[in-house]
Amino acid sequence: MIKIESLKDYANKKEQEDLGNKIYNLISFADTDYPNYKDWFFEKQLFETINSENRNIFFVRNSNNKDEIIAVACLKNNNEKKICTLYVLNKFRGQGIGNMLIEKSMDWLGTTKPLITLTDYKYEMFKPIIDKYNWELTEVVNDLYKVNSKELCFNGTLNRNKSKLLKKI
């Protein structure tokens, strides 16, 4: 049985931080597409999940190994209702885990049309989800996080300072 947990369900800050490290280990590859992803994850996403109501992290553990986290959704719910990160470990795809995470995320965000962005080369991987929820491509941003790449925005637009982001590369 698939159980979606929220980092907010853990009251102990040390336990939240330990889980945060395990979650980051699962999604650390995102540094490839998003400069300074590690800093963002720890200083923004994890910190605000622990210390505010504006962010949350949902995750799924391997039912055969509770120490292994196999899926994650990082969320932001303030001026943007955004799914910031969504990932399911390859060997667990096709089991409905991603859809369950999205449903739980949309419930928490209070919308069926959350802002979600992805690098253009990942579009085909996300197309079944985009089609299922009838998400609308609303913006394409060139060179946002990396030169010669496109960020596809669904259900909204990004608030950004492009020059600031490119300087971090």
Side-chain angles (χ1 to χ4, degrees):
M1 183 176 132
I2 298 168
K3 179 183 177 192
I4 297 176
E5 298 182 65
S6 169
L7 198 65
K8 290 187 174 295
D9 292 340
Y10 293 84
N12 180 302
K13 191 170 183 172
K14 173 78 169 107
E15 195 170 22
Q16 288 175 323
E17 290 171 350
D18 289 346
L19 284 166
N21 283 317
K22 287 182 182 181
I23 290 166
Y24 178 75
N25 287 338
L26 175 69
I27 56 177
S28 62
F29 68 88
D31 264 333
T32 305
D33 291 325
Y34 301 103
N36 300 311
Y37 183 83
K38 182 177 184 178
D39 292 340
W40 169 84
F41 179 81
F42 286 103
E43 295 170 15
K44 193 78 165 163
Q45 184 67 45
L46 183 61
F47 179 82
E48 288 186 24
T49 296
I50 293 170
N51 296 297
S52 81
E53 295 302 314
N54 296 331
R55 290 187 186 260
N56 202 350
I57 300 173
F58 291 126
F59 61 97
V60 177
R61 297 175 193 257
N62 182 341
S63 59
N64 296 318
N65 176 2
K66 296 296 183 190
D67 287 332
E68 181 184 21
I69 295 175
I70 61 168
V72 65
C74 296
L75 310 172
K76 177 170 127 178
N77 191 4
N78 51 20
N79 59 322
E80 292 180 316
K81 294 181 176 295
K82 183 177 183 185
I83 298 175
C84 302
T85 304
L86 177 68
Y87 182 72
V88 178
L89 197 62
N90 286 345
K91 66 182 179 180
F92 293 96
R93 292 183 184 165
Q95 299 177 29
I97 297 170
N99 284 318
M100 290 175 64
L101 272 172
I102 290 169
E103 294 284 334
K104 183 88 169 171
S105 297
M106 290 189 305
D107 285 347
W108 189 81
L109 292 168
T111 183
T112 58
K113 304 289 183 194
L115 174 61
I116 188 165
T117 71
L118 52 117
T119 307
D120 58 349
Y121 77 88
K122 294 181 180 176
Y123 175 75
E124 288 302 318
M125 179 174 31
F126 280 87
K127 188 174 181 338
I129 291 169
I130 292 163
D131 291 346
K132 177 178 180 172
Y133 295 104
N134 198 28
W135 290 347
E136 179 185 356
L137 180 64
T138 49
E139 183 178 33
V140 177
V141 183
N142 293 316
D143 304 328
L144 179 63
Y145 297 108
K146 293 175 89 171
V147 175
N148 297 323
S149 71
K150 293 179 182 176
E151 194 73 6
L152 308 179
C153 306
F154 294 86
N155 307 320
T157 59
L158 290 173
N159 298 325
R160 66 199 176 278
N161 181 341
K162 181 176 153 184
S163 61
K164 182 180 175 185
L165 291 169
L166 284 175
K167 287 178 185 175
K168 291 182 178 180
I169 297 176

